[in-house]
Amino acid sequence: HLIRVPEPLFRLAGYVGDVKGLVDDWGTGFVNELDYIAEAVNGEQFMADMAKTPLAGVVFAPPVYKNMSTGRVLVTQWIDGERLEKSGADDVASLCSVAMNCYLTMMLESGTMHCDPHPGNLLRSPDGRLCILDWGLVQTINPDLRLTFIEHIAHLTSKDYEKVPADL
């Protein structure tokens, strides 16, 4: 609630977006990130979605130990690995491409989007796979918005810039 109070200052600074809506969405995501049962389901959904793509076997989420997890405690398999941005392995550039393809697949195909892709959540496993950690902050993207994203990318790719503002 305190972040919503200075909304008039945002307006004075020229911000035209929905400050209250933005803060409310952020707050909802923050609270939902603490629901460890949902986090477990999100990771499992990601694995099911990726199993249907060429990314299967190249990217994964840590398996959850359901019998030891609760709404307040999440127990997953320990993943040996190194942060992707700190790895000196020869395949890091390839794994960055895997990450990009993975996020595009989530955004445009499955509609279940991992929304916490900071460097600490992207690991290179010893066998050369990409591991994505922390499935607490996830957004579902409805099919209409996915189509809009695809149209936006198509307009950018074809240099049809006049249509780009309408995409947003």
Side-chain angles (χ1 to χ4, degrees):
H1 179 73
L2 291 176
I3 298 173
R4 294 168 97 200
V5 173
E7 181 184 12
L9 297 175
F10 284 91
R11 299 280 175 243
L12 286 173
Y15 183 78
V16 294
D18 178 9
V19 175
K20 288 180 183 175
L22 177 68
V23 170
D24 288 347
D25 283 350
W26 179 82
T28 300
F30 182 76
V31 170
N32 289 345
E33 190 170 5
L34 300 175
D35 180 349
Y36 296 122
I37 301 234
E39 183 169 347
V41 169
N42 292 336
E44 291 171 343
Q45 182 63 51
F46 168 75
M47 290 300 295
D49 292 341
M50 291 301 112
K52 303 173 201 166
T53 74
L55 295 165
V58 183
V59 63
F60 69 102
V64 174
Y65 294 114
K66 289 183 183 180
N67 60 333
M68 292 188 257
S69 297
T70 69
R72 300 176 86 182
V73 176
L74 178 65
V75 181
T76 67
Q77 178 181 343
W78 178 262
I79 304 299
D80 283 319
E82 55 187 338
R83 288 171 56 144
L84 193 57
E85 94 281 10
K86 292 184 178 181
S87 176
D90 293 336
D91 61 354
V92 170
S94 175
L95 286 176
C96 288
S97 293
V98 168
M100 180 62 74
N101 281 307
C102 184
Y103 277 86
L104 285 170
T105 299
M106 286 186 277
M107 185 172 71
L108 301 175
E109 190 173 323
S110 73
T112 302
M113 182 84 172
H114 177 271
C115 296
D116 200 7
H118 64 78
N121 283 342
L122 303 174
L123 300 180
R124 182 195 179 278
S125 67
D127 62 357
R129 295 182 299 152
L130 176 66
C131 177
I132 302 177
L133 303 173
D134 191 358
W135 287 89
L137 189 57
V138 169
Q139 181 67 44
T140 301
I141 302 171
N142 70 47
D144 290 343
L145 187 54
R146 283 185 257 160
L147 179 59
T148 299
F149 284 145
I150 291 168
E151 289 172 342
H152 179 67
I153 292 167
H155 292 145
L156 289 173
T157 303
S158 65
K159 298 181 181 179
D160 192 357
Y161 301 124
E162 289 181 14
K163 292 184 180 176
V164 168
D167 296 337
L168 304 174

